Amino acid sequence: MASVLSYESLVHAVAGAVGSVTAMTVFFPLDTARLRLQVDEKRKSKTTHMVLLEIIKEEGLLAPYRGWFPVISSLCCSNFVYFYTFNSLKAVWVKGQRATTGKDLVIGFVAGVVNVLLTTPLWVVNTRLKLQGAKFRNEDIVPTNYKGIIDAFHQIIRDEGVLALWNGTFPSLLLVFNPAIQFMFYEGLKRQLLKKRMQLSSLDVFIIGAVAKAVATTATYPMQTIQSILRFGRHRLNPENRTLGSLRNVLYLLHQRVKRFGIMGLYKGLEAKLLQTVLTAALMFLVYEKLTAATFTIMGLKRAAHKH
């Protein structure tokens, strides 16, 4: 129990949250482009920079940063929960033994499930806010009018029922493999490099963070597209296709997408997603490693994470 409530887990959680917020802010416009490419199927521009130029031209210079605050607050909570759970479980389970790739994958998976169930409502709201006021090419999309995070929660519960806040939960649970794969690769690569040298340079951390995220994103991207469509929830779908995103819905949406755009339709926006997530993850891990190391040094604690 002590290790679950430990100061060390808290440091990891805060450092993870700060790292992700810093990284996401830097690369936020890429995420805006990715979301438009996923949700607005009628958009002709295929490349990230063209979509961003279009958004700026039609909606103003600050449009790529629309919805920044709800995304950042969701991300902060989400990464705090993830890093806290991951490091607490690791402290309890690994306790004095050697960390292995298999254990990292299982711990990453459990941490991800906890994270999804707690933070999906925040992500549903921020997907809606991020797309509010966007000029869509697809006329099947119903526009929204939310005044902010609280108002969005209120309107969604009032108009669509409380369960709408967990739209896209099923693909999100499947997507738990994304951070689990990412952390497994990240921890594994880190262990391999630490065998060869005493400590990792900033560039090492940046590169292994980028590689881990690229593998995880490419493997799980089709599910992310479906998750965005379900979270947005403003397409005029049959009412039975609007509920939580059960397996039937996920398969239906995957099938529709392939039927209309071919197999590559599942990877629409992947270029923007890879650019954004790979750079964001690499920068996040860099800030996270530096911040935890600095905090433990200041507090005079030995860094348990380097005893892998």
Side-chain angles (χ1 to χ4, degrees):
M1 187 64 189
S3 47
V4 174
L5 300 172
S6 75
Y7 172 74
E8 205 166 294
S9 291
L10 188 66
V11 172
H12 281 290
V14 171
V18 172
S20 62
V21 165
T22 307
M24 187 56 153
T25 301
V26 173
F27 299 114
F28 194 80
L30 293 171
D31 194 53
T32 301
R34 180 268 314 171
L35 193 56
R36 293 293 177 90
L37 283 163
Q38 283 180 327
V39 171
D40 192 4
E41 297 100 336
K42 301 264 172 81
R43 195 170 274 281
K44 293 282 183 284
S45 296
K46 297 287 188 286
T47 61
T48 310
H49 69 281
M50 285 307 291
V51 170
L52 277 174
L53 286 172
E54 252 175 36
I55 293 170
I56 290 167
K57 199 167 85 181
E58 291 174 11
E59 301 166 38
L61 200 58
L62 290 177
Y65 275 91
R66 181 187 285 118
W68 174 83
F69 183 74
V71 170
I72 290 300
S73 33
S74 306
L75 196 67
C76 199
C77 297
S78 195
N79 274 288
F80 185 89
V81 169
Y82 193 89
F83 277 88
Y84 194 92
T85 314
F86 185 86
N87 285 289
S88 299
L89 288 171
K90 201 163 182 172
V92 172
W93 194 19
V94 177
K95 227 178 197 159
Q97 305 161 15
R98 283 191 56 238
T100 63
T101 307
K103 282 182 182 173
D104 283 335
L105 186 64
V106 173
I107 292 170
F109 188 79
V110 175
V113 170
V114 171
N115 185 23
V116 163
L117 296 175
L118 288 177
T119 63
T120 290
L122 283 169
W123 289 111
V124 167
V125 165
N126 91 46
T127 302
R128 304 271 184 105
L129 287 169
K130 206 162 179 323
L131 290 165
Q132 184 163 285
K135 291 184 165 52
F136 291 113
R137 305 291 191 271
N138 186 349
E139 52 285 344
D140 284 346
I141 292 173
V142 189
T144 58
N145 185 23
Y146 305 130
K147 293 182 185 73
I149 298 177
I150 307 298
D151 186 50
F153 270 112
H154 172 70
Q155 282 196 45
I156 293 168
I157 293 168
R158 187 191 65 201
D159 301 338
E160 299 167 53
V162 75
L163 286 182
L165 290 171
W166 274 270
N167 270 347
T169 299
F170 188 78
S172 298
L173 285 171
L174 295 178
L175 279 169
V176 160
F177 283 109
N178 184 312
I181 293 166
Q182 177 190 345
F183 266 73
M184 178 185 78
F185 269 90
Y186 180 76
E187 296 283 338
L189 289 166
K190 198 161 98 175
R191 270 196 294 277
Q192 291 307 313
L193 279 177
L194 284 169
K195 281 179 189 166
K196 298 186 178 73
R197 57 191 83 168
M198 277 305 288
Q199 68 185 85
L200 302 180
S201 70
S202 299
L203 187 64
D204 291 334
V205 173
F206 194 85
I207 289 169
I208 60 175
V211 170
K213 191 61 182 179
V215 173
T217 298
T218 308
T220 56
Y221 191 75
M223 236 353 111
Q224 293 183 29
T225 300
I226 300 308
Q227 179 196 45
S228 291
I229 292 167
L230 283 167
R231 276 179 179 169
F232 184 44
R234 309 302 296 174
H235 288 73
R236 292 186 171 92
L237 289 172
N238 302 333
E240 66 271 18
N241 284 328
R242 285 284 291 284
T243 53
L244 285 175
S246 63
L247 182 59
R248 203 175 68 230
N249 284 350
V250 171
L251 293 174
Y252 166 80
L253 285 167
L254 282 169
H255 177 247
Q256 288 299 100
R257 195 115 182 143
V258 172
K259 205 164 83 177
R260 288 173 66 186
F261 304 106
I263 201 81
M264 289 321 287
L266 296 176
Y267 287 90
K268 203 165 177 238
L270 178 63
E271 176 205 2
K273 182 69 178 173
L274 273 178
L275 255 178
Q276 181 251 326
T277 50
V278 167
L279 293 171
T280 302
L283 186 55
M284 180 201 77
F285 277 122
L286 184 57
V287 175
Y288 162 68
E289 293 286 355
K290 295 291 174 202
L291 212 52
T292 42
T295 311
F296 288 136
T297 308
I298 293 162
M299 303 310 288
L301 288 167
K302 277 201 171 67
R303 178 110 195 265
H306 277 326
K307 291 182 198 159
H308 288 317

